[in-house]
Amino acid sequence: MPGVYRPQEDSFLLAHALREAGGARDARVLDFCTGTGFLAVTAAQLGAASVTAVDIAPRAVLTARLNARTRGLPIRVLRGGLDAATRSGPFDVVLSNPPYVPHEGGPADPRWDAGPDGRCVLDPLCDELPNLLSDNGFSLIVHSGFSGVDTTLDRLRGGGLKAAVVARQSIPFGPVLQSRVGYLQHTQLAAQDATSEEVVVIRADRTRLECALEEG
């Protein structure tokens, strides 16, 4: 539907990382910030035991439900944010392609704009992941290098998770980032000669050690 983020290179990179991880079959899966439901559909087609998709946008929720229904997939789609996701968990696999584009202010598009550093969704998600994941569960999150890869890794590790970059792809600036070049350069989020962004997939695991520490 109009106004819903369409699957693009970042979505495809995350879907590929999920296939490579091989952990979707028989798993309880969450697709947070589902948009069209592309990742939820991918997880269901890979044999997930159950799939829950969550988004704050009514049009995204409707679109994801329609995409699941037309494919005959039993995906549960909820409208809400992290609270709704946490109430529905825990999950064996958490997927997310959240809004992550740095935004200097003024009118914002919730499909991709995510505050001055691109982290207004990423930071709360990283902080909540230990509560979203089941014992030995893992998460795959995709975002731009302009949003701070090391910040994400540090935040996840600070929550007791094992975290690492598992996929990277360089993508030429599209219309949105082309309109932000001046801001990205001014804030030193991008080099003066940048014409592309690196998109990364970060995996975070809730390990046996972390679970044992909680129980202790």
Side-chain angles (χ1 to χ4, degrees), residues 38-57:
F38 170 72
L39 293 168
V41 167
T42 299
Q45 292 175 335
L46 289 173
S50 66
V51 182
T52 301
V54 177
D55 204 291
I56 62 171

Side-chain angles (χ1 to χ4, degrees), residues 20-37:
E20 289 292 303
R25 178 164 295 279
D26 300 324
R28 296 164 293 174
V29 178
L30 169 68
D31 177 13
F32 183 68
C33 301
T34 191
T36 63

